[in-house]
Amino acid sequence: MDLTDFGAGAQYIAGRQTRGSGEPFQVVNPADGSVVEQVALATPGDVDAAVAAAKAALPGWSSATPGARAEALTRLAAVLTDACGDLARVETAQTGKPVKLATEFDVPGTIDNAAFFAGAARNLEGKAAGEYSGDHTSYVRREAIGVVGSVSPWNYPLQMAAWKILPAIAAGNTIVLKPAELTPLTSLMFARACTAAGIPDGVVNVVTGAGRTAGEHLVGHPDVAMVSFTGSTAVGRRVAELATASVKRTHLELGGKAPFVVFDDADLDAAVHGAVAASLINGGQDCTAATRAYVQRPLYEAFVAGVAELFTAIRIGDPLNPRTDLGPLVSYAHRDRVAGFVERARSYATVVTGGRVPTVGHDGTDLTRGAYHPPTLITGAAQDSEVVQGEIFGPVLVVLPFDGDDEGLRLANDTPYGLAASAWTSNVHRSLRATRELAAGCVWVNDHIPIISEMPHGGYKASGYGKDMSQYSLDEYTQVKHVMFDTTAVARKDWHRTVFGDR
């Protein structure tokens, strides 16, 4: 199966790729403005068809043995491996991310997720069966929830499709995924790969549509039992409102504003290199990206100088060039949004480097045609300023000094978000305190960004709730049933007297 054939349309329903019933929409390459694909968007009617397909497939898939589901996911990992080059190329074309990131991070991470959930599908954990009351044997069943409606973002389209689909179907659910209309192509490829792997028609469905039409209709659909959403906190609140109206299970991975806390005993070279990588990954369009560096005053000036030096050496250019470090942002509108944060900051802070897009890339690419924004370093901003508190979602790092440890940790926690954070220190006691007190779902020590399939990803506070990846994610997509058997064969039980009769 050619996973890159999008001629049949941008909807994948009941094992078939079809055209949407809505308005035409162009998927644009942000590196040069060229059209990658023209698609027809989904309408509520298309969503209804996808949900109906998922509902019809649910009895068969949910009753399949864990081993059978595991075998299907193992085959899926193999199909994805065979298509790894195409997946990386299409991911780069629709997002603008450097092909080396897509090739070495997005695609292998997705394949590893598939392999992990193939194993996790056979491990539905519950409390051991036992006579906890003395007169009964109890045990716990983990069962599928039903049809899952998922909405994924544009920054990691392939990986986010995997994070939504894999745990859901490993647990026996069926799913309708609505990817961002800006970047639907690798989500469609993933769904086609599921069919190629022998996963039954209707288990995995994709509807490409706008959030206010297709997305809201999916979230509020009466036949959808659970909603999983990754995106901004503002939209997440709307998703929660719609899901709450019909009492659906919800899973929300929302915004972030990750602090990067450098104590005065840290390895300065490691912290500088770590900050550059962690702030610029995926063009900074990563909810766990380092956006606020708090550096203890003895290291502050050297840290700023080191980051500025590396920022100016970043190679901006054609994302398909394997030497390119930084490609364009996902769209012209988003580039302008990021640039707006930087321009407004000039009135109250110092733009140390960046902020102005060069006209020519390291490889001769005409950067004026694309949605490029350079690595930008800002200092002198107040803690309550927009660039410190707002989610910029671009290649922008703000650096602030602190004095004592109490102050550094307090400043790090001083945002509504709590998705990720890191602490940089050579002192084990400092690191233990930081990991305990930083209010985030993931805290790294002397690194920032690496994720692995075996460990959970999810936030605190306004960054949402629920976990992606890991066994914890599989558990999110199951419902727990307590089953209790009487072991006495006694007709009149002692507890009955609390309702009628005497002892």
Side-chain angles (χ1 to χ4, degrees):
M1 177 184 287
D2 180 8
L3 301 185
T4 64
D5 181 6
F6 304 108
Q11 319 303 322
Y12 199 81
I13 300 171
R16 293 174 52 247
Q17 198 159 308
T18 62
R19 296 187 183 280
S21 306
E23 296 295 318
F25 185 85
Q26 292 181 335
V27 178
V28 173
N29 184 334
D32 58 12
S34 61
V35 177
V36 182
E37 290 288 339
Q38 180 159 303
V39 302
L41 296 180
T43 63
D46 296 315
V47 174
D48 289 341
V51 173
K55 185 178 180 181
L58 181 64
W61 184 248
S62 63
S63 62
T65 64
R69 294 197 291 267
E71 288 174 3
L73 291 176
T74 298
R75 294 192 298 268
L76 173 60
V79 173
L80 295 171
T81 299
D82 289 343
C84 62
D86 287 339
L87 288 165
R89 177 179 57 79
V90 175
E91 192 78 332
T92 292
Q94 68 179 351
T95 64
K97 69 178 62 193
V99 71
K100 67 177 179 178
L101 179 67
T103 301
E104 299 179 32
F105 181 74
D106 298 63
V107 174
T110 299
I111 295 168
D112 187 66
N113 278 186
F116 172 81
F117 281 107
R122 306 183 79 148
N123 185 37
L124 295 175
E125 293 186 339
K127 198 167 187 177
E131 288 71 48
Y132 298 103
S133 78
D135 293 334
H136 305 82
T137 294
S138 289
Y139 68 86
V140 169
R141 291 177 56 88
R142 282 195 176 271
E143 298 179 345
I145 296 171
V147 176
V148 178
S150 289
V151 179
S152 58
W154 48 256
N155 57 336
Y156 291 101
L158 177 63
Q159 283 201 318
M160 294 298 100
W163 285 17
K164 300 300 184 191
I165 292 169
L166 291 170
I169 67 173
N173 304 284
T174 57
I175 189 169
V176 178
L177 174 74
K178 193 207 84 66
E181 63 269 30
L182 289 176
T183 56
L185 302 180
T186 48
S187 298
L188 291 164
M189 293 172 71
F190 191 95
R192 297 184 75 182
C194 289
T195 298
I199 294 172
D201 294 349
V203 172
V204 176
N205 307 274
V206 175
V207 289
T208 300
R212 291 191 177 275
T213 51
E216 292 204 359
H217 191 68
L218 176 63
V219 170
H221 200 288
D223 289 332
V224 168
M226 175 180 173
V227 171
S228 178
F229 170 80
T230 296
S232 72
T233 297
V235 178
R237 291 191 184 99
R238 175 62 177 161
V239 169
E241 290 172 1
L242 292 168
T244 300
S246 50
V247 200
K248 300 183 194 302
R249 174 88 65 92
T250 55
H251 173 283
L252 303 175
E253 198 265 86
L254 307 178
K257 190 69 178 174
F260 186 101
V261 184
V262 183
F263 293 98
D264 59 11
D265 63 343
D267 180 325
L268 178 63
D269 190 48
V272 166
H273 282 80
V276 172
S279 61
L280 299 185
I281 185 170
N282 204 39
Q285 299 165 124
D286 185 311
C287 48
T288 62
T291 59
R292 300 177 291 137
Y294 295 97
V295 184
Q296 204 152 17
R297 208 168 292 275
L299 297 184
Y300 176 77
E301 290 186 4
F303 179 89
V304 170
V307 170
E309 181 180 359
L310 289 181
F311 267 18
T312 57
I314 293 296
R315 295 168 298 190
I316 308 173
D318 179 2
L320 285 174
N321 185 327
R323 297 187 68 248
T324 292
D325 300 322
L326 186 67
L329 301 185
V330 74
S331 69
Y332 299 101
H334 185 62
R335 186 270 315 275
D336 293 345
R337 177 184 176 276
V338 172
F341 274 93
V342 176
E343 290 308 306
R344 291 189 296 274
R346 293 182 188 278
S347 66
Y348 58 81
T350 300
V351 178
V352 177
T353 186
R356 303 284 190 229
V357 183
T359 58
V360 180
H362 74 98
D363 51 1
T365 299
D366 180 2
L367 301 184
T368 63
R369 298 175 59 201
Y372 290 90
H373 193 284
T376 301
L377 179 63
I378 296 175
T379 61
Q383 176 67 13
D384 61 355
S385 64
E386 181 186 46
V387 290
V388 175
Q389 295 294 327
E391 189 176 23
I392 301 173
F393 224 59
V396 179
L397 177 65
V398 184
V399 185
L400 300 90
F402 70 91
D403 292 305
D405 291 16
D406 290 350
E407 181 190 16
L409 294 172
R410 176 180 60 79
L411 292 172
N413 285 332
D414 182 29
T415 72
Y417 301 107
L419 187 58
S422 64
W424 296 74
T425 177
S426 59
N427 184 300
V428 66
H429 302 293
R430 263 180 166 165
S431 66
L432 287 171
R433 180 187 177 188
T435 56
R436 181 177 68 248
E437 295 187 14
L438 286 169
C442 177
V443 178
W444 293 280
V445 176
N446 296 330
D447 208 341
H448 192 116
I449 283 297
I451 54 175
I452 50 176
S453 296
E454 292 82 359
M455 288 289 113
H457 176 88
Y460 287 14
K461 303 190 294 186
S463 291
Y465 48 82
K467 300 299 178 184
D468 290 310
M469 298 195 297
S470 80
Q471 183 71 37
Y472 294 95
S473 179
L474 185 72
D475 293 348
E476 296 267 356
Y477 289 89
T478 64
Q479 50 193 349
V480 173
K481 178 185 287 182
H482 169 216
V483 179
M484 179 178 267
F485 288 87
D486 169 61
T487 59
T488 66
V490 173
R492 186 174 178 184
K493 297 176 171 57
D494 186 56
W495 73 268
H496 291 177
R497 67 186 173 81
T498 62
V499 181
F500 70 98
D502 300 317
R503 184 182 293 274

